[in-house]
Amino acid sequence: MPHQVIHLKAKPGDIAENVIAVGDPGRVELLSKLLSDSRVVNTHRGFLTITGRYKDIKVTLATHGIGGPSAAIIFEELKMLGAKRIVRIGTAGGLVKEVKIGSIVLATGAGMACNGAGLNLYAPNHCLPTSPDPVLTFKIKEKLDESNIEYHLGPVYSSDSFYAEDPELAHRLSKLGYKAIEMECATLFALGWMRGFKTAALLVISDNLIEEKKTFLTTMELKEQFETLAKIVMEVFNELGNER
């Protein structure tokens, strides 16, 4: 593992122990409005990263890009710079009819193709554990329940190829028990166990691969859901403080 941080041009102290990671830099800009005393700590390579405060806690909002290899670089470097918890708030495609566009999935695990999610070189010929931290995930579930927010609970599938998805794949994955498909959760969860940081993931459904009518919603079209979920996660961070 490299010890030099190359892609995030942030310094020690710039990254909070509590991180919300997203694929879209526009989502970082959107959610930064929930923070006070916020400041940009990285723009290099488009990985916009902003650190500020939510109530009593310091929080970093970080862009991880698209796909496992890109996300792995950012998760590794966030950990090197001091992250102790990383929660992904992202989009996903529904794989069953009841997981409708605009709904929320709290991931309980992430499947992937053999040697997928950018993880093959970490452990050749081995399937790494791809479940989130159970305590952090449960605390988020509790907060969702307290806030009367409806959500789906279950595993997601982390794909390595956005345009390879088709109805046949969607139906096959749905029969295997997956609720939704996205591109980074397996990478996050595996690295969390490997490197020693806590992970969780909340996903907003931007499209449904089972439905015949194809719709794909953007960050701004899902603005309300993202703001709601970010507040939920930051409330959990605030309650946990800087516990290990």
Side-chain angles (χ1 to χ4, degrees):
M1 176 178 174
H3 295 287
Q4 182 181 2
V5 178
I6 296 171
H7 302 87
L8 293 179
K9 301 300 183 183
K11 302 182 295 295
D14 285 344
I15 301 300
E17 293 189 358
N18 297 289
V19 177
I20 291 175
V22 302
D24 179 7
R27 206 170 303 146
V28 170
E29 292 180 349
L30 171 68
L31 300 181
S32 69
K33 297 172 184 176
L34 302 175
L35 301 177
S36 61
D37 302 322
S38 63
R39 61 191 178 94
V40 175
V41 297
N42 184 74
T43 59
H44 186 59
R45 288 182 174 262
F47 292 112
L48 178 63
T49 307
I50 294 176
T51 296
R53 298 196 70 81
Y54 181 83
K55 295 186 177 178
D56 299 326
I57 203 74
K58 187 177 173 183
V59 176
T60 291
L61 307 172
T63 308
H64 60 59
I66 300 174
S70 171
I73 291 169
I74 300 306
F75 300 149
E76 291 269 28
E77 295 194 0
L78 288 168
K79 169 65 168 113
M80 292 178 201
L81 289 164
K84 303 293 185 185
R85 303 185 189 100
I86 302 178
V87 177
R88 167 164 150 71
I89 297 182
T91 53
L95 290 174
V96 290
K97 286 189 176 180
E98 58 265 30
V99 180
K100 298 185 180 301
I101 293 173
S103 63
I104 295 161
V105 173
L106 176 59
T108 58
M112 61 182 180
C114 295
N115 299 324
L119 295 170
N120 182 45
L121 292 179
Y122 285 95
N125 303 315
H126 291 277
C127 293
L128 292 168
T130 54
S131 58
D133 180 80
V135 176
L136 180 56
T137 299
F138 182 71
K139 288 185 179 297
I140 292 172
K141 179 187 182 299
E142 284 186 317
K143 190 62 67 176
L144 289 167
D145 291 337
E146 289 171 12
S147 303
N148 295 314
I149 295 171
E150 294 185 3
Y151 61 93
H152 300 274
L153 191 67
V156 301
Y157 186 84
S158 295
S159 172
D160 286 332
S161 183
F162 185 90
Y163 289 106
E165 296 170 6
D166 58 36
E168 182 180 340
L169 172 65
H171 285 289
R172 190 162 65 248
L173 292 175
S174 68
K175 289 178 181 178
L176 294 174
Y178 293 109
K179 298 290 186 183
I181 186 168
E182 53 80 72
M183 300 186 77
E184 297 88 16
C185 284
T187 311
L188 173 64
F189 299 160
L191 287 176
W193 292 116
M194 192 186 313
R195 301 304 190 205
F197 59 89
K198 297 178 180 179
T199 66
L202 279 165
L203 304 165
V204 182
I205 301 302
S206 60
D207 63 317
N208 186 296
L209 280 70
I210 302 296
E211 297 290 346
E212 292 184 8
K213 183 180 178 182
K214 298 304 177 187
T215 304
F216 191 92
L217 300 187
T218 65
T219 289
M220 291 312 296
E221 289 170 316
L222 296 167
K223 174 178 181 289
E224 183 177 339
Q225 288 95 324
F226 284 124
E227 290 177 335
T228 297
L229 295 184
K231 288 177 184 176
I232 289 289
V233 172
M234 289 193 281
E235 285 290 343
V236 171
F237 285 163
N238 194 61
E239 291 177 7
L240 291 172
N242 290 322
E243 293 177 4
R244 297 295 183 268

